[in-house]
Structures are given as structure tokens and as C-alpha cells.
Amino acid sequence: MSRQNLISAVVGDDIVAAAIQSINDAKASLPFLINLSATERKKFRKMGPKSVDYVNDNLTGANQFPNSLPSDFPRTEFAKDVALINKLYPLLVASQAFTEGLNDTILALGSDAMKGGDEVYGFLKLAAKTDANAKALVEQIGRRYQRNTKKPKENQ
């Protein structure tokens, strides 16, 4: 029987600490970043990758034909927003790729660990037939999979 081992690596605490510090430094260098609630996210118009070109083209139009815009249109602020989107979008793509790599690696590691844990649990169950200490541990491990079969009492 072949054993699954999708990931085999060791990372030092210093590497993890340095990576976390780099992430925190990046966040600190962008102090204007905000966090929206789920409700707030729903109410805003969304912008995807194709929309970047849309707003860039509109900025070009605003700059080439300023007399076509109302006098109170905040062209300078619009230009700042578009410029910032163009700077931040590559960071978003890079951070999403990083996050996806972390998620996929943790998923694979979790699968490796669960399969290994299942194998160990099977061996421990066999050992528990003759070893009281192993039996206590098997019972402890088995609690993770126990279902609560009692139905809650209804208020009468």
C-alpha cells in the first residue's frame, strides 16, 4: 500500500516570522487600505480585470475632452483613483496567487496528515485490544467522530 505524501517540507519559525513581518510591513506601507463589511461589499459596483481598461479609457477621454465633463466633475480625484487602481491591481494578483498557494499547500498537507492519522488510528485500535493505555488514547481520539444522538427536548 503506497502512502500519500503530497508535501514534504520543513520551515523554520524564523522564516514564518519573517514572512509575517513582510506581510505586516506591506500592510503598513498602504495605510489607506480598508476592510468592508459583507453588506458594504454588496452595495458597491464591482470592478474586474476588464474594467481596468474601461476606467483607463474613460480617464483618457476625461483628459482629452475636459470640456465635455460638467465643471464640478472631480477629474483630479478620478485620475488619482485610476492611478491607484493601476498600482494596486498587480499587488492584488500577486497576493491572490500567494494566498492560493498557501490554501492549496495547507489542503494537501491536511490530506497527508488526515490519511496518516487514519492509518495511525487503525494501528492504535489494534494495539488497544491488548494495551489499556492505547485503549484510553483510542477512546480519546474516537470522541472526535462521536455524534450527539440525543435530540434536544422541546419546550412544552
Side-chain angles (χ1 to χ4, degrees):
M1 176 172 116
S2 68
R3 291 189 170 97
Q4 176 178 306
N5 190 28
L6 300 172
I7 304 290
S8 179
V10 175
V11 64
D13 292 341
D14 57 331
I15 300 298
V16 173
I20 291 171
Q21 186 60 53
S22 294
I23 292 167
N24 289 335
D25 289 347
K27 284 174 24 181
S29 70
L30 304 168
F32 52 84
L33 294 179
I34 61 172
N35 292 307
L36 300 172
S37 69
T39 303
E40 290 170 320
R41 284 177 206 213
K42 287 179 185 177
K43 72 179 182 179
F44 290 124
R45 184 159 182 217
K46 308 302 184 283
M47 180 176 167
K50 293 179 183 177
S51 300
V52 174
D53 290 337
Y54 171 78
V55 296
N56 278 312
D57 289 344
N58 279 285
L59 177 59
T60 299
N63 288 331
Q64 288 180 355
F65 305 101
N67 294 335
S68 297
L69 304 174
S71 61
D72 66 342
F73 181 80
R75 197 163 44 109
T76 302
E77 192 58 36
F78 178 59
K80 280 176 48 182
D81 289 348
V82 173
L84 189 55
I85 287 166
N86 287 318
K87 296 281 186 184
L88 294 181
Y89 219 86
L91 292 175
L92 176 66
V93 171
S95 67
Q96 286 173 332
F98 178 69
T99 300
E100 186 176 326
L102 284 174
N103 282 329
D104 289 349
T105 300
I106 289 171
L107 181 102
L109 285 168
S111 180
D112 284 353
M114 289 299 289
K115 284 185 177 268
D118 291 344
E119 192 173 352
V120 168
Y121 185 53
F123 290 130
L124 289 174
K125 287 194 303 187
L126 290 174
K129 293 178 181 180
T130 59
D131 185 334
N133 291 328
K135 183 176 181 179
L137 181 59
V138 166
E139 288 173 359
Q140 177 184 329
I141 294 169
R143 286 189 209 120
R144 181 197 187 296
Y145 295 105
Q146 284 180 345
R147 291 184 179 173
N148 187 358
T149 57
K150 292 183 181 181
K151 292 183 180 179
K153 294 180 181 180
E154 294 181 23
N155 292 338
Q156 295 182 14

